[in-house]
Amino acid sequence: MSLFGEKCARCGTRTRNKEDDRAICEICAQEMHLLIEAGKEALRACPIDGTTMRKEIAHVVVIDRCPTCSGVWLDGGELDQMRNGAESEALMLMATGLAYPM
């Protein structure tokens, strides 16, 4: 292991976190867990055109998106989770930008 940790097998970010003896950052590990949980959910039909919607991850929330019309279905509380996730990401980016000017 290097001083700054190994690269995440999924995204390449440096991390000290490991799962199944492979380096994986916490964000990727959380997304992988969400994808596994989403696979257990029933598929929904788009209320607009009836197409089966796909599961996607947006700001660490699993959403249903129609591949035809791009409509999005959010379960209860998911909008607030996305808002909180986006605010957290923005704060982290601002803090990183302030700490490491280019």
Side-chain angles (χ1 to χ4, degrees), residues 2-90:
S2 72
L3 180 63
F4 299 106
E6 296 178 38
K7 288 187 177 183
C8 173
R10 195 160 176 247
C11 71
T13 303
R14 293 280 180 186
T15 183
R16 294 183 181 272
N17 190 36
K18 284 192 168 198
E19 282 187 18
D20 297 328
D21 204 32
R22 288 179 46 192
I24 186 165
C25 69
E26 292 179 25
I27 293 171
C28 288
Q30 191 173 18
E31 285 184 359
M32 297 285 281
H33 176 72
L34 285 172
L35 286 172
I36 291 168
E37 291 300 314
K40 298 175 185 175
E41 292 181 6
L43 296 176
R44 292 187 171 94
C46 176
I48 304 294
D49 59 23
T51 303
T52 301
M53 295 194 287
R54 295 183 185 147
K55 305 285 184 188
E56 292 184 12
I57 296 178
H59 297 286
V60 196
V61 175
V62 177
I63 61 172
D64 297 295
R65 179 183 291 256
C66 178
T68 307
C69 71
S70 297
V72 176
W73 179 270
L74 299 174
D75 295 334
E78 288 181 343
L79 182 60
D80 292 328
Q81 288 177 336
M82 288 178 68
R83 184 179 300 125
N84 293 339
E87 289 171 357
S88 297
E89 284 182 34

